[in-house]
Amino acid sequence: MIPTMLTLGIETSCDETGVALYDSERGLLAHALHSQVDLHAEYGGVVPEIASRDHVRKLLPLVSHCLSEAGLARSDIDGVAYTAGPGLIGALLVGAATGRALALSLDVPALEVHHMEGHLLAPMLEPDPPSLPFVALLVSGGHSMLVEVRAIGDYRLLGETLDDAAGEAFDKTAKLLGLGYPGGPALARKAEEGDSGRFDFPRPMTDRPGLDFSFSGLKTHTRNLYERHAGEDGVEADIAAGFQQAVVDTLAIKCRRAMQQTRARQLVIAGGVGANLALRARLKADGEKHGWAVAYPRLAFCTDNGAMIAYAGCQRLLAGEHTGLDIEARARWPLDSLSPPAAGAAA
Ligand code: KG4
Ligand code: ZN
C-alpha cells in the first residue's frame, strides 16, 4: 500500500511568501500567500535584503494559518518541501532553513524543490490536469523556456531565452512607460486601452529556425520608439498594446514550432507571464486550430505560490526522496539536471 503524504510546501525564492498543505490522497488542503509588492514598489523592483527580512516575518505565521485552515496540527505533517533554487540566495535560505528545521523538529523528511519544476507541475493542481507527456512554455520573471516533459523529473530543454526573460521584458518596458512595479500586470492593463497596430514591433527570432528566444532587441526597439513619440496622445497605451502583441506572437510561434517538432498533443503554460490573458487566449485559440490541448494553472498559481512547491515536493517525497541535514540554496540550478522521483530515491 502506498503511504499517504501530507506535505507542507514553502516558497520564498523571490518576493512572495507562499505556504501550502498538499495531501497525496485528498489534494490541496490549504494555501496562503503574502505578497511583498508594496514593500518593493517604492524602489521600482525587488530589494533582496528587504525580501529576506519579510520572509522571516511572514513564514511561520503563514504555516500556522494554513494548518488552522485545514484543521490540522503540525504533528500531522508527513514531509516538508521547500524551494531551494533558483532565486535570491538570502530569500531562499529563509525557506530552506525554516523548512529544514521544521522537518527536523517533527522528525519527518525534508526535500529541496526546484522552483521551475514547481511552476511546471502547477497545472496538475487543477481539476482537469494535463496528461503526460507534454510541452511546457515556462515564462516567468527570471526564465523563458520551452521544455519537453516526458515524465515528472524527465525534462528536455527545447529552447530558452538568450538574454532577458519574458517577464523581465514586461517589467522593463512597464518601467520605461512609467507604469510602475510589478510591471507585467500593469502593462497588460494599459495594453487594453491601446491600439496594437499603431506602431510596428519586431517578432524576435521567429524568422529563423530553432526554439530559443531573445527579448533584448524588442526592448531596445521599444525604448527608441518611446523616445521618438514621447508626449504624443495615447502613446503609452499604444506601445504597451503593440509590445504585448509582439511578445504574445513570438511565444505563440515558438510554441507551435515546439509542438510540431515533438509531435506532442498537450501544451502547458506556466510561470508568472502565463497569467497574461492575451497570451492565454492566443495559445488556446492556436490549440483549437491545430488540434492540441492547452492547460494552464489558475491565475493565482501562475505566479509564485506554495501550492506548486507542496505538489512537486509531495511527488518526490512519496517516492522516498529526501534531503540531508545540509541546508543549500542555489541561485542557479539547471532544470534538466533533475531526475525522475524514483531514480532520485535510489541514488
Ligand atoms: O513566476 P513569477 O511569479 O516569479 C518568477 O519566478 O519570476 O513571475 C513573475 C513575472 C514578473 O516578471 C511579472 O511581471 C510577470 O511574471 N507577470 C505578468 C503578468 N502577471 C505577472 N506578465 C505579463 N502579464 C501578466 N498579467
Ligand atoms: Zn516563479
Side-chain angles (χ1 to χ4, degrees):
M1 197 181 85
I2 299 171
T4 61
M5 173 65 68
L6 176 71
T7 307
L8 172 70
I10 294 176
E11 157 60 36
T12 64
S13 68
C14 190
D15 59 348
E16 338 252 17
T17 319
V19 173
L21 288 164
Y22 182 86
D23 183 87
S24 53
E25 284 202 341
R26 291 175 293 164
L28 188 63
L29 301 181
H31 63 99
L33 187 83
H34 171 74
S35 169
Q36 302 178 353
V37 159
D38 295 345
L39 290 179
H40 301 292
E42 66 175 293
Y43 302 97
V46 179
V47 182
E49 181 61 23
I50 294 178
S52 311
R53 290 180 189 202
D54 200 55
H55 288 309
V56 172
R57 277 192 290 271
K58 297 296 177 350
L59 186 50
L60 285 173
L62 283 183
V63 172
S64 303
H65 176 87
C66 278
L67 285 168
S68 73
E69 196 183 297
L72 295 168
R74 275 190 191 178
S75 55
D76 293 318
I77 295 171
D78 299 316
V80 180
Y82 54 85
T83 305
L88 302 171
I89 283 291
L92 288 165
L93 276 173
V94 177
T98 309
R100 192 67 201 81
L102 264 174
L104 185 67
S105 70
L106 296 169
D107 196 21
V108 297
L111 186 80
E112 296 179 335
V113 175
H114 192 294
H115 181 77
M116 301 313 287
E117 177 168 67
H119 275 304
L120 202 64
L121 301 181
M124 298 295 201
L125 289 160
E126 299 310 318
D128 190 12
S131 48
L132 288 152
F134 56 72
V135 166
L137 173 70
L138 267 176
V139 269
S140 71
H143 296 84
S144 295
M145 42 183 151
L146 275 160
V147 186
E148 185 180 12
V149 178
R150 289 176 283 217
I152 292 180
D154 185 356
Y155 307 132
R156 188 164 73 94
L157 190 64
L158 300 171
E160 64 184 331
T161 183
L162 304 179
D163 39 60
D164 291 353
E168 196 179 354
F170 267 95
D171 292 336
K172 287 179 178 168
T173 304
K175 200 168 185 171
L176 170 80
L177 299 176
L179 302 176
Y181 159 90
L187 191 139
R189 273 195 303 279
K190 196 75 187 169
E192 279 173 29
E193 307 160 18
D195 168 10
S196 63
R198 175 168 164 199
F199 301 114
D200 279 339
F201 284 84
R203 271 56 176 158
M205 301 189 56
T206 51
D207 54 350
R208 49 185 129 145
L211 293 170
D212 288 332
F213 310 99
S214 161
F215 291 108
S216 75
L218 179 61
K219 186 182 65 184
T220 309
H221 175 89
T222 308
R223 192 185 327 112
N224 294 340
L225 199 62
Y226 190 48
E227 278 167 12
R228 275 204 308 282
H229 295 275
E232 290 177 16
D233 220 24
V235 68
E236 285 82 7
D238 293 340
I239 288 186
F243 169 86
Q244 175 174 269
Q245 191 61 51
V247 175
V248 167
D249 280 353
T250 305
L251 295 176
I253 291 167
K254 297 287 170 163
C255 282
R256 195 172 70 220
R257 224 176 256 177
M259 294 303 284
Q260 284 161 349
Q261 194 172 305
T262 57
R263 298 172 191 273
R265 309 305 306 157
Q266 171 81 59
L267 178 68
V268 158
I269 323 298
V273 183
N276 186 280
L277 296 179
L279 179 67
R280 290 165 87 97
R282 168 66 187 273
L283 294 175
K284 188 156 187 296
D286 280 3
E288 277 160 15
K289 192 162 133 199
H290 298 288
W292 53 72
V294 182
Y296 321 84
R298 70 195 80 168
L299 286 176
F301 292 168
C302 278
T303 43
D304 291 349
N305 65 86
M308 65 186 196
I309 303 303
Y311 177 84
C314 186
Q315 309 313 310
R316 292 182 175 277
L317 285 163
L318 265 180
E321 249 185 75
H322 58 87
T323 303
L325 284 175
D326 291 356
I327 295 169
E328 205 183 335
R330 303 171 190 147
R332 292 177 189 283
W333 186 1
L335 180 65
D336 54 5
S337 70
L338 299 186
S339 319

